């Protein structure tokens, strides 16, 4: 796909995420999608494959939120197979705390699918508001 097509795909995914609809994001992931979270938090690391992402990342994250987070893009840039998204999130934890993180997502695409994503975010907010996922401290 061209950079313009990659950008359009990510734009449509982000439009859905801004409505709290994460289904298009999950559907666009390649089966061996790699999600890297930068930093040294309990959430940081590499999640490989849809099953791993759902079980070790999304399931424990969503269990802490009253509803899926709203992710709203502020800038989307494309170059070759890469799309970079600057965005901010908005969610509330089940304990009533606001979880409004800022992100920079560097996404690599191939053949119309998301192949890998590196997520940069406010790790201090993660440590302050979220509990570590099971088995991680």
């Amino acid at each position: 796909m061209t950079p313009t097509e990659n950008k359009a795909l990510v734009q449509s995914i982000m439009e859905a995420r801004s409505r709290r609809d994460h289904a298009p994001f999950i559907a666009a992931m390649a089966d061996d999608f790699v999600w890297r979270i930068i930093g040294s938090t309990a959430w940081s690391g590499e999640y490989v494959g849809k099953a791993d992402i759902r079980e070790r990342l999304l399931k424990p994250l969503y269990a802490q939120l009253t509803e899926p987070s709203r992710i709203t893009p502020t800038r989307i840039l494309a170059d070759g197979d890469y799309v970079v998204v600057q965005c901010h999130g908005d969610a509330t934890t089940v304990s009533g705390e606001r979880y409004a993180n800022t992100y920079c997502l560097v996404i690599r695409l191939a053949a119309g699918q998301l192949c890998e994503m590196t997520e940069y975010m406010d790790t201090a907010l993660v440590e302050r508001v979220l509990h570590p996922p099971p088995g991680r401290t």
Side-chain angles (χ1 to χ4, degrees), residues 32-130:
D32 59 350
F33 180 73
V34 177
W35 188 333
R36 290 179 194 90
I37 298 177
I38 299 301
S40 57
T41 73
W43 293 90
S44 300
E46 190 169 274
Y47 303 84
V48 180
K50 283 185 176 184
D52 186 45
I53 289 165
R54 285 182 173 164
E55 189 62 30
R56 289 192 319 119
L57 177 61
L58 298 180
K59 184 178 176 181
L61 174 62
Y62 291 167
Q64 295 187 48
L65 303 176
T66 58
E67 62 184 331
S69 59
R70 177 188 320 271
I71 307 291
T72 306
T74 55
R75 179 174 290 121
I76 300 177
L77 306 168
D79 183 25
D81 293 338
Y82 287 87
V83 176
V84 177
V85 182
Q86 288 180 303
C87 49
H88 61 273
D90 187 27
T92 303
T93 66
V94 293
S95 62
E97 291 193 70
R98 185 158 182 241
Y99 180 63
N101 213 324
T102 56
Y103 305 94
C104 180
L105 309 173
V106 180
I107 305 165
R108 184 176 66 81
L109 297 94
Q113 288 192 301
L114 308 177
C115 295
E116 63 183 65
M117 181 173 75
T118 303
E119 176 182 333
Y120 300 86
M121 65 176 156
D122 179 351
T123 54
L125 178 64
V126 169
E127 289 186 325
R128 185 175 56 79
V129 175
L130 296 179

Side-chain angles (χ1 to χ4, degrees), residues 13 20 108:
I13 290 168
R20 300 185 194 277
R108 184 176 66 81

